Amino acid sequence: MNPFLLLAGVLLVVLAGPGLLLVARGTATSRLAGLQLASAVTVLLLTVLSVVMGQPSLLIVPLVAVLLSFAGTLVFTRLLRGHR
């Protein structure tokens, strides 16, 4: 196994874990912050993995994830505004 893949997997668990914990519990504002943290970590790790593996064609995956994360944040913010 490539050491970069192992490191990326460990970083995904360590860094995205707190974000996913915030998404699962907490106030609505902390859920939104957890969603942003988890999506940012995921996009960064997908980008690093595509570069390390030498597959620049896989960069489309983090690009789509960024767009979906942005749209999800807008929807979450709109729903959050309705609860106040």
Side-chain angles (χ1 to χ4, degrees):
M1 176 174 238
N2 191 348
F4 288 112
L5 292 175
L6 183 63
L7 180 64
V10 169
L11 284 176
L12 181 64
V13 170
V14 170
L15 295 177
L20 294 176
L21 184 65
L22 283 173
V23 169
R25 300 195 276 178
T27 64
T29 308
S30 66
R31 288 182 192 158
L32 181 60
L35 174 69
Q36 286 297 102
L37 176 65
S39 63
V41 167
T42 303
V43 166
L44 287 173
L45 285 175
L46 285 173
T47 304
V48 167
L49 283 175
S50 67
V51 171
V52 165
M53 291 171 46
Q55 297 287 331
S57 61
L58 291 178
L59 285 174
I60 193 71
V61 175
L63 178 65
V64 170
V66 164
L67 294 175
L68 291 175
S69 170
F70 179 68
T73 301
L74 290 177
V75 169
F76 200 152
T77 305
R78 182 160 177 117
L79 291 173
L80 185 63
R81 185 181 66 176
H83 287 288
R84 289 186 180 210

